[in-house]
Amino acid sequence: MLPTLADAEQAIIAADKVVKALAKPFTLVQQTVQLAVSVGIALYPQHADEPGDLINRADIAMYAAKRKGRNCHAIYQQD
């Protein structure tokens, strides 16, 4: 949740930063671990004006990102 974002472009920039940061390998209990991250983006009030609906639409977008492949993002699209 990033309440101060002005538009979708800023949300994409933030999502890319999260993806890049979490995609870097790190050591956990003497083992190298690397995560694959899928980020779903839903914007208030464009995609929903209720918190539950906004989370639901971000979840839908996250699954769209997962279908695109590893380490990416997707913005909610109405069907």
Side-chain angles (χ1 to χ4, degrees):
M1 298 277 202
L2 301 171
T4 60
L5 295 180
D7 55 29
E9 186 175 323
Q10 287 185 350
I12 290 168
I13 291 168
D16 285 340
K17 287 180 182 180
V18 169
V19 168
K20 286 177 185 172
L22 294 176
K24 294 178 183 175
F26 62 95
T27 303
L28 181 66
V29 190
Q30 300 177 346
Q31 193 165 28
T32 300
V33 178
Q34 188 168 4
L35 302 176
V37 181
S38 300
V39 177
I41 300 170
L43 302 170
Y44 170 86
Q46 297 94 316
H47 300 133
D49 57 3
E50 294 292 325
D53 293 336
L54 197 59
I55 291 169
N56 183 301
R57 293 191 174 120
D59 193 50
I60 291 168
M62 179 196 62
Y63 282 103
K66 285 178 179 275
R67 287 190 297 275
K68 286 175 28 177
R70 293 176 174 231
N71 296 322
C72 62
H73 65 272
I75 297 177
Y76 174 77
Q77 301 282 325
Q78 278 186 299
D79 293 336

Coordinates of all heavy atoms in Angstrom, one line a residue:
M1 N 0.8 -1.2 0.0 CA 0.0 0.0 0.0 C 0.9 1.2 0.0 O 1.7 1.4 0.9 CB -0.9 0.0 1.2 CG -1.8 -1.1 1.3 SD -3.2 -0.7 0.3 CE -4.4 -1.7 1.0
L2 N 0.7 2.0 -1.0 CA 1.5 3.3 -1.1 C 0.5 4.4 -1.4 O 0.2 4.7 -2.5 CB 2.5 3.1 -2.3 CG 3.5 2.0 -2.1 CD1 4.3 1.8 -3.4 CD2 4.4 2.2 -1.0
P3 N 0.0 5.0 -0.3 CA -1.0 6.0 -0.5 C -0.6 7.3 -1.1 O -1.5 8.1 -1.5 CB -1.5 6.3 1.0 CG -0.3 5.9 1.8 CD 0.4 4.8 1.1
T4 N 0.7 7.6 -1.3 CA 1.1 8.9 -1.8 C 1.4 8.9 -3.3 O 1.8 9.9 -3.8 CB 2.3 9.4 -1.0 OG1 3.4 8.5 -1.2 CG2 2.0 9.6 0.4
L5 N 1.2 7.7 -4.0 CA 1.5 7.7 -5.4 C 0.5 8.5 -6.2 O -0.7 8.5 -5.9 CB 1.4 6.2 -5.9 CG 2.5 5.3 -5.3 CD1 2.3 3.9 -5.9 CD2 3.9 5.8 -5.6
A6 N 1.0 9.2 -7.2 CA 0.1 10.1 -7.9 C -0.5 9.4 -9.1 O -1.6 9.8 -9.5 CB 1.0 11.3 -8.4
D7 N 0.1 8.4 -9.7 CA -0.4 7.8 -10.9 C 0.1 6.4 -11.1 O 1.0 5.9 -10.4 CB -0.2 8.7 -12.1 CG 1.3 9.0 -12.3 OD1 2.2 8.2 -11.9 OD2 1.6 10.1 -12.8
A8 N -0.3 5.8 -12.2 CA 0.1 4.4 -12.5 C 1.6 4.3 -12.8 O 2.2 3.4 -12.4 CB -0.7 3.9 -13.7
E9 N 2.1 5.4 -13.4 CA 3.6 5.4 -13.7 C 4.4 5.3 -12.4 O 5.4 4.5 -12.4 CB 4.0 6.6 -14.5 CG 5.4 6.7 -14.9 CD 5.7 7.9 -15.8 OE1 4.9 8.3 -16.6 OE2 6.8 8.4 -15.6
Q10 N 4.0 6.0 -11.4 CA 4.7 5.9 -10.1 C 4.6 4.5 -9.5 O 5.5 4.0 -8.9 CB 4.3 7.0 -9.2 CG 4.8 8.4 -9.5 CD 4.4 9.4 -8.5 OE1 3.6 9.2 -7.6 NE2 5.0 10.6 -8.6
A11 N 3.4 3.9 -9.6 CA 3.2 2.6 -9.1 C 4.0 1.6 -9.8 O 4.6 0.7 -9.2 CB 1.7 2.2 -9.3
I12 N 4.2 1.7 -11.1 CA 5.1 0.8 -11.9 C 6.5 1.0 -11.4 O 7.2 0.0 -11.3 CB 4.9 1.1 -13.4 CG1 3.5 0.6 -13.8 CG2 6.0 0.4 -14.2 CD1 3.1 1.0 -15.2
I13 N 7.0 2.2 -11.2 CA 8.3 2.4 -10.7 C 8.5 1.8 -9.4 O 9.6 1.1 -9.2 CB 8.6 3.9 -10.7 CG1 8.7 4.5 -12.1 CG2 9.9 4.2 -9.9 CD1 8.7 6.0 -12.2
A14 N 7.6 1.9 -8.5 CA 7.7 1.3 -7.2 C 7.7 -0.2 -7.3 O 8.5 -0.9 -6.6 CB 6.5 1.8 -6.3
A15 N 6.8 -0.8 -8.1 CA 6.8 -2.2 -8.3 C 8.1 -2.7 -8.8 O 8.6 -3.8 -8.4 CB 5.6 -2.6 -9.2
D16 N 8.7 -2.0 -9.8 CA 9.9 -2.5 -10.4 C 11.0 -2.5 -9.3 O 11.9 -3.4 -9.3 CB 10.4 -1.6 -11.5 CG 9.6 -1.9 -12.8 OD1 9.0 -3.0 -12.9 OD2 9.5 -1.0 -13.7
K17 N 11.0 -1.5 -8.4 CA 12.0 -1.4 -7.3 C 11.9 -2.6 -6.4 O 12.9 -3.2 -6.0 CB 11.9 -0.1 -6.5 CG 12.4 1.1 -7.3 CD 12.3 2.3 -6.5 CE 12.7 3.6 -7.2 NZ 12.6 4.8 -6.4
V18 N 10.6 -3.0 -6.1 CA 10.4 -4.1 -5.2 C 10.8 -5.4 -5.9 O 11.5 -6.2 -5.2 CB 8.9 -4.2 -4.8 CG1 8.5 -5.5 -4.2 CG2 8.5 -3.0 -3.9
V19 N 10.5 -5.6 -7.1 CA 10.9 -6.8 -7.9 C 12.4 -6.9 -7.9 O 13.0 -8.0 -7.6 CB 10.3 -6.8 -9.3 CG1 10.9 -7.8 -10.2 CG2 8.8 -6.9 -9.2
K20 N 13.1 -5.8 -8.3 CA 14.5 -5.9 -8.4 C 15.2 -6.1 -7.0 O 16.2 -6.9 -6.9 CB 15.1 -4.6 -8.9 CG 14.8 -4.4 -10.4 CD 15.3 -3.1 -10.9 CE 14.9 -3.0 -12.4 NZ 15.1 -1.6 -12.9
A21 N 14.7 -5.5 -5.9 CA 15.3 -5.7 -4.6 C 15.1 -7.2 -4.1 O 16.0 -7.8 -3.6 CB 14.6 -4.8 -3.6
L22 N 13.9 -7.7 -4.4 CA 13.7 -9.1 -3.9 C 14.2 -10.2 -4.8 O 14.4 -11.3 -4.4 CB 12.2 -9.3 -3.7 CG 11.5 -8.4 -2.6 CD1 10.0 -8.7 -2.5 CD2 12.2 -8.8 -1.2
A23 N 14.6 -9.8 -6.0 CA 15.2 -10.8 -6.9 C 16.6 -11.1 -6.7 O 17.2 -12.1 -7.2 CB 14.9 -10.4 -8.4
K24 N 17.3 -10.2 -5.9 CA 18.7 -10.4 -5.7 C 18.9 -11.6 -4.7 O 18.2 -11.7 -3.7 CB 19.3 -9.1 -5.0 CG 19.3 -7.9 -5.9 CD 19.8 -6.7 -5.2 CE 19.8 -5.5 -6.1 NZ 20.2 -4.3 -5.4
P25 N 19.9 -12.4 -5.1 CA 20.1 -13.6 -4.2 C 20.6 -13.1 -2.8 O 21.3 -12.1 -2.7 CB 21.3 -14.3 -4.9 CG 21.3 -13.8 -6.3 CD 20.7 -12.4 -6.2
F26 N 20.2 -13.9 -1.8 CA 20.7 -13.6 -0.4 C 21.0 -14.9 0.3 O 20.5 -16.0 -0.2 CB 19.7 -12.7 0.4 CG 18.4 -13.3 0.6 CD1 18.1 -14.0 1.7 CD2 17.4 -13.2 -0.4 CE1 16.8 -14.6 1.9 CE2 16.1 -13.8 -0.2 CZ 15.9 -14.5 0.9
T27 N 21.7 -14.8 1.4 CA 22.1 -16.0 2.1 C 21.2 -16.2 3.3 O 21.0 -15.2 4.1 CB 23.6 -16.0 2.6 OG1 24.4 -15.8 1.4 CG2 24.0 -17.2 3.3
L28 N 20.7 -17.4 3.5 CA 19.8 -17.7 4.6 C 20.2 -19.0 5.2 O 20.2 -20.0 4.5 CB 18.3 -17.7 4.1 CG 17.3 -18.0 5.2 CD1 17.2 -16.9 6.2 CD2 15.9 -18.2 4.5
V29 N 20.7 -19.0 6.4 CA 21.2 -20.2 7.1 C 22.2 -21.0 6.2 O 22.0 -22.1 5.8 CB 20.1 -21.1 7.5 CG1 20.6 -22.3 8.4 CG2 19.0 -20.4 8.2
Q30 N 23.2 -20.2 5.7 CA 24.3 -20.8 4.9 C 23.9 -21.3 3.6 O 24.5 -22.2 3.0 CB 25.1 -21.8 5.7 CG 25.7 -21.3 7.0 CD 26.4 -22.4 7.8 OE1 26.2 -23.6 7.5 NE2 27.2 -21.9 8.7
Q31 N 22.7 -20.9 3.1 CA 22.3 -21.3 1.8 C 21.8 -20.1 1.0 O 21.1 -19.2 1.5 CB 21.1 -22.3 1.9 CG 20.8 -23.0 0.7 CD 19.8 -24.2 1.0 OE1 19.1 -24.2 1.9 NE2 19.9 -25.2 0.1
T32 N 22.2 -20.1 -0.3 CA 21.8 -18.9 -1.2 C 20.3 -19.1 -1.6 O 20.0 -20.2 -2.1 CB 22.7 -18.8 -2.4 OG1 24.0 -18.6 -1.9 CG2 22.3 -17.7 -3.3
V33 N 19.6 -18.1 -1.5 CA 18.1 -18.1 -1.8 C 17.9 -17.0 -2.8 O 18.4 -15.9 -2.6 CB 17.3 -17.9 -0.5 CG1 15.8 -17.9 -0.8 CG2 17.6 -19.0 0.5
Q34 N 17.0 -17.3 -3.7 CA 16.6 -16.2 -4.7 C 15.1 -16.3 -4.9 O 14.5 -17.4 -5.1 CB 17.3 -16.4 -6.0 CG 17.0 -15.2 -6.9 CD 18.0 -15.2 -8.1 OE1 18.7 -16.1 -8.3 NE2 17.9 -14.2 -8.9
L35 N 14.4 -15.2 -4.7 CA 12.9 -15.2 -4.8 C 12.5 -14.8 -6.2 O 13.2 -14.0 -6.9 CB 12.4 -14.2 -3.8 CG 12.7 -14.4 -2.3 CD1 12.2 -13.3 -1.5 CD2 12.1 -15.7 -1.9
A36 N 11.3 -15.2 -6.6 CA 10.6 -14.7 -7.8 C 9.4 -14.0 -7.3 O 8.7 -14.4 -6.4 CB 10.2 -15.9 -8.7
V37 N 9.2 -12.8 -7.8 CA 8.2 -11.9 -7.2 C 7.2 -11.5 -8.3 O 7.6 -11.2 -9.4 CB 8.9 -10.6 -6.7 CG1 7.8 -9.7 -6.1 CG2 9.9 -10.9 -5.6
S38 N 5.9 -11.5 -8.0 CA 4.9 -11.1 -8.9 C 4.1 -10.0 -8.1 O 3.6 -10.2 -7.0 CB 3.9 -12.2 -9.2 OG 4.6 -13.2 -9.9
V39 N 4.0 -8.8 -8.7 CA 3.3 -7.7 -8.1 C 2.1 -7.3 -8.8 O 2.1 -7.1 -10.0 CB 4.3 -6.4 -8.0 CG1 3.6 -5.2 -7.4 CG2 5.6 -6.8 -7.2
G40 N 1.0 -7.2 -8.1 CA -0.3 -6.8 -8.7 C -0.6 -5.4 -8.3 O -0.4 -5.0 -7.1
I41 N -0.9 -4.5 -9.2 CA -1.2 -3.1 -9.0 C -2.7 -2.8 -9.2 O -3.2 -3.1 -10.3 CB -0.3 -2.2 -9.9 CG1 1.2 -2.5 -9.7 CG2 -0.6 -0.8 -9.7 CD1 2.1 -1.9 -10.7
A42 N -3.3 -2.2 -8.2 CA -4.6 -1.7 -8.4 C -4.6 -0.3 -7.8 O -4.0 0.0 -6.7 CB -5.7 -2.5 -7.6
L43 N -5.2 0.7 -8.4 CA -5.2 2.1 -8.1 C -6.5 2.6 -7.5 O -7.6 2.3 -8.1 CB -4.7 2.9 -9.3 CG -3.4 2.6 -9.9 CD1 -3.2 3.3 -11.2 CD2 -2.3 2.8 -8.9
Y44 N -6.4 3.4 -6.5 CA -7.6 4.1 -5.9 C -7.7 5.5 -6.6 O -6.7 6.2 -6.6 CB -7.5 4.2 -4.4 CG -8.5 5.1 -3.8 CD1 -9.7 4.5 -3.4 CD2 -8.3 6.4 -3.6 CE1 -10.7 5.4 -2.9 CE2 -9.2 7.2 -3.0 CZ -10.5 6.7 -2.7 OH -11.4 7.5 -2.1
P45 N -8.8 5.9 -7.0 CA -10.1 5.3 -7.1 C -10.4 4.7 -8.5 O -11.5 4.2 -8.7 CB -11.0 6.4 -6.8 CG -10.4 7.6 -7.5 CD -8.9 7.3 -7.3
Q46 N -9.4 4.6 -9.4 CA -9.6 4.1 -10.7 C -10.2 2.7 -10.8 O -11.0 2.4 -11.6 CB -8.3 4.2 -11.6 CG -7.8 5.6 -11.8 CD -6.8 6.0 -10.8 OE1 -6.9 5.7 -9.6 NE2 -5.7 6.6 -11.2
H47 N -9.6 1.8 -9.9 CA -10.0 0.4 -10.0 C -11.0 0.0 -8.9 O -11.7 -1.0 -9.1 CB -8.7 -0.4 -9.9 CG -7.8 -0.2 -11.0 ND1 -6.4 0.0 -10.8 CD2 -8.0 0.0 -12.3 CE1 -5.8 0.3 -12.0 NE2 -6.8 0.2 -12.9
A48 N -11.0 0.8 -7.8 CA -12.0 0.5 -6.7 C -11.9 1.6 -5.7 O -10.9 2.3 -5.6 CB -11.7 -0.8 -6.1
D49 N -13.0 1.8 -5.0 CA -13.0 2.9 -4.0 C -13.2 2.3 -2.6 O -13.2 3.0 -1.6 CB -14.0 4.0 -4.3 CG -15.4 3.4 -4.4 OD1 -15.7 2.2 -4.2 OD2 -16.3 4.2 -4.7
E50 N -13.4 1.0 -2.5 CA -13.5 0.3 -1.2 C -12.2 -0.5 -0.9 O -11.7 -1.2 -1.9 CB -14.7 -0.6 -1.1 CG -16.0 0.1 -1.2 CD -16.3 1.0 0.0 OE1 -15.9 0.6 1.1 OE2 -16.9 2.0 -0.1
P51 N -11.7 -0.5 0.3 CA -10.4 -1.2 0.5 C -10.4 -2.7 0.1 O -9.5 -3.2 -0.5 CB -10.2 -1.1 2.1 CG -10.9 0.1 2.4 CD -12.1 0.2 1.5
G52 N -11.5 -3.4 0.5 CA -11.6 -4.8 0.1 C -11.6 -5.1 -1.4 O -10.9 -6.0 -1.9
D53 N -12.3 -4.2 -2.1 CA -12.4 -4.3 -3.6 C -11.0 -4.0 -4.2 O -10.6 -4.6 -5.1 CB -13.4 -3.4 -4.1 CG -14.8 -3.8 -3.8 OD1 -15.0 -5.0 -3.4 OD2 -15.7 -2.9 -3.8
L54 N -10.3 -3.0 -3.6 CA -9.0 -2.7 -4.1 C -8.0 -3.8 -3.9 O -7.2 -4.1 -4.8 CB -8.5 -1.4 -3.4 CG -7.4 -0.6 -4.0 CD1 -7.7 -0.2 -5.4 CD2 -7.0 0.6 -3.2
I55 N -8.0 -4.4 -2.8 CA -7.1 -5.6 -2.5 C -7.5 -6.7 -3.4 O -6.6 -7.4 -4.0 CB -7.2 -6.0 -1.0 CG1 -6.6 -4.9 -0.1 CG2 -6.6 -7.4 -0.8 CD1 -6.8 -5.1 1.3
N56 N -8.8 -7.0 -3.6 CA -9.2 -8.0 -4.6 C -8.7 -7.8 -6.0 O -8.2 -8.7 -6.6 CB -10.7 -8.1 -4.5 CG -11.2 -9.3 -5.4 OD1 -11.0 -9.3 -6.6 ND2 -12.0 -10.2 -4.8
R57 N -8.7 -6.6 -6.4 CA -8.3 -6.3 -7.8 C -6.8 -6.3 -7.9 O -6.2 -6.7 -8.9 CB -8.9 -4.9 -8.2 CG -10.4 -5.1 -8.3 CD -11.1 -4.1 -9.0 NE -12.5 -4.5 -9.2 CZ -13.5 -3.9 -8.6 NH1 -13.3 -2.8 -7.9 NH2 -14.7 -4.3 -8.8
A58 N -6.1 -5.9 -6.8 CA -4.6 -6.1 -6.8 C -4.2 -7.6 -6.9 O -3.3 -8.0 -7.5 CB -4.0 -5.4 -5.6
D59 N -5.0 -8.4 -6.2 CA -4.8 -9.8 -6.2 C -5.0 -10.4 -7.6 O -4.2 -11.2 -8.1 CB -5.7 -10.5 -5.2 CG -5.4 -12.0 -4.9 OD1 -4.2 -12.2 -4.6 OD2 -6.3 -12.8 -5.0
I60 N -6.1 -9.9 -8.3 CA -6.3 -10.4 -9.7 C -5.1 -10.0 -10.6 O -4.7 -10.7 -11.4 CB -7.6 -9.7 -10.2 CG1 -8.8 -10.4 -9.5 CG2 -7.7 -9.9 -11.7 CD1 -10.1 -9.7 -9.7
A61 N -4.6 -8.7 -10.4 CA -3.5 -8.3 -11.2 C -2.2 -9.1 -10.9 O -1.4 -9.4 -11.7 CB -3.2 -6.8 -10.9
M62 N -2.1 -9.5 -9.6 CA -0.9 -10.3 -9.2 C -0.9 -11.6 -10.0 O 0.1 -12.1 -10.5 CB -0.9 -10.6 -7.7 CG 0.3 -11.4 -7.3 SD 0.1 -12.1 -5.6 CE -1.3 -13.2 -5.8
Y63 N -2.1 -12.2 -10.1 CA -2.2 -13.5 -10.8 C -1.9 -13.3 -12.3 O -1.3 -14.2 -13.0 CB -3.5 -14.2 -10.6 CG -3.5 -14.9 -9.2 CD1 -4.1 -14.4 -8.1 CD2 -2.7 -16.1 -9.0 CE1 -4.0 -15.0 -6.9 CE2 -2.6 -16.7 -7.8 CZ -3.3 -16.2 -6.7 OH -3.2 -16.8 -5.5
A64 N -2.3 -12.1 -12.8 CA -1.9 -11.8 -14.2 C -0.4 -11.7 -14.4 O 0.1 -12.2 -15.4 CB -2.7 -10.5 -14.7
A65 N 0.2 -11.1 -13.4 CA 1.7 -11.0 -13.4 C 2.3 -12.3 -13.4 O 3.3 -12.6 -14.1 CB 2.2 -10.1 -12.3
K66 N 1.8 -13.2 -12.5 CA 2.3 -14.6 -12.4 C 2.3 -15.3 -13.8 O 3.2 -16.0 -14.2 CB 1.6 -15.4 -11.4 CG 1.9 -15.0 -10.0 CD 1.1 -15.9 -9.0 CE 1.4 -15.6 -7.6 NZ 2.5 -16.3 -7.1
R67 N 1.2 -15.1 -14.5 CA 1.0 -15.7 -15.8 C 2.1 -15.2 -16.8 O 2.4 -15.9 -17.8 CB -0.4 -15.5 -16.4 CG -1.4 -16.4 -15.7 CD -2.8 -16.4 -16.4 NE -3.4 -15.1 -16.4 CZ -4.1 -14.5 -15.4 NH1 -4.3 -15.2 -14.3 NH2 -4.6 -13.3 -15.5
K68 N 2.5 -13.9 -16.6 CA 3.5 -13.3 -17.5 C 4.9 -13.9 -17.3 O 5.7 -13.9 -18.2 CB 3.5 -11.8 -17.3 CG 2.4 -11.1 -17.9 CD 2.3 -9.6 -17.6 CE 3.5 -8.8 -17.4 NZ 3.2 -7.4 -17.2
G69 N 5.1 -14.4 -16.2 CA 6.5 -15.0 -15.9 C 7.0 -14.5 -14.6 O 6.3 -13.9 -13.8
R70 N 8.3 -14.7 -14.3 CA 8.9 -14.4 -13.0 C 9.3 -12.9 -13.0 O 9.6 -12.3 -14.0 CB 10.2 -15.2 -12.8 CG 9.9 -16.7 -12.7 CD 11.2 -17.4 -12.6 NE 10.9 -18.8 -12.2 CZ 11.4 -19.5 -11.2 NH1 12.3 -18.9 -10.5 NH2 11.1 -20.7 -11.0
N71 N 9.3 -12.4 -11.8 CA 9.8 -11.1 -11.5 C 9.2 -10.0 -12.4 O 9.9 -9.3 -13.1 CB 11.3 -11.1 -11.6 CG 11.9 -11.9 -10.5 OD1 11.5 -12.0 -9.4 ND2 13.0 -12.6 -10.9
C72 N 7.9 -9.9 -12.3 CA 7.2 -8.8 -13.1 C 6.0 -8.3 -12.3 O 5.7 -8.7 -11.2 CB 6.8 -9.4 -14.4 SG 5.6 -10.7 -14.4
H73 N 5.4 -7.3 -12.9 CA 4.2 -6.7 -12.3 C 3.1 -6.6 -13.4 O 3.3 -6.8 -14.6 CB 4.5 -5.3 -11.9 CG 4.9 -4.4 -13.0 ND1 6.1 -4.2 -13.5 CD2 4.1 -3.5 -13.7 CE1 6.1 -3.4 -14.5 NE2 4.9 -3.0 -14.7
A74 N 1.9 -6.4 -12.9 CA 0.7 -6.2 -13.8 C -0.2 -5.2 -13.1 O -0.4 -5.2 -11.9 CB 0.0 -7.5 -14.1
I75 N -0.9 -4.4 -14.0 CA -1.9 -3.5 -13.5 C -3.2 -4.1 -13.7 O -3.5 -4.7 -14.8 CB -1.8 -2.1 -14.2 CG1 -0.4 -1.5 -13.9 CG2 -2.9 -1.2 -13.8 CD1 -0.1 -0.2 -14.6
Y76 N -4.1 -3.9 -12.8 CA -5.5 -4.5 -12.9 C -6.1 -4.0 -14.2 O -6.1 -2.8 -14.5 CB -6.3 -4.1 -11.7 CG -7.8 -4.5 -11.8 CD1 -8.1 -5.8 -11.6 CD2 -8.7 -3.6 -12.2 CE1 -9.5 -6.2 -11.8 CE2 -10.1 -3.9 -12.3 CZ -10.4 -5.3 -12.1 OH -11.7 -5.7 -12.3
Q77 N -6.7 -4.9 -14.9 CA -7.5 -4.6 -16.1 C -8.9 -5.2 -16.0 O -9.0 -6.4 -15.7 CB -6.8 -5.3 -17.3 CG -5.4 -4.9 -17.6 CD -5.3 -3.5 -18.2 OE1 -6.1 -3.1 -19.1 NE2 -4.3 -2.7 -17.8
Q78 N -9.9 -4.4 -16.2 CA -11.2 -4.9 -16.2 C -11.4 -5.9 -17.4 O -10.9 -5.6 -18.5 CB -12.3 -3.8 -16.3 CG -12.5 -3.1 -15.0 CD -13.7 -2.2 -15.1 OE1 -13.6 -1.2 -15.9 NE2 -14.7 -2.4 -14.4
D79 N -12.1 -7.0 -17.2 CA -12.4 -7.9 -18.3 C -13.5 -7.4 -19.2 O -14.3 -6.6 -18.9 CB -12.8 -9.3 -17.7 CG -11.7 -9.9 -17.0 OD1 -10.5 -9.6 -17.3 OD2 -12.0 -10.8 -16.1

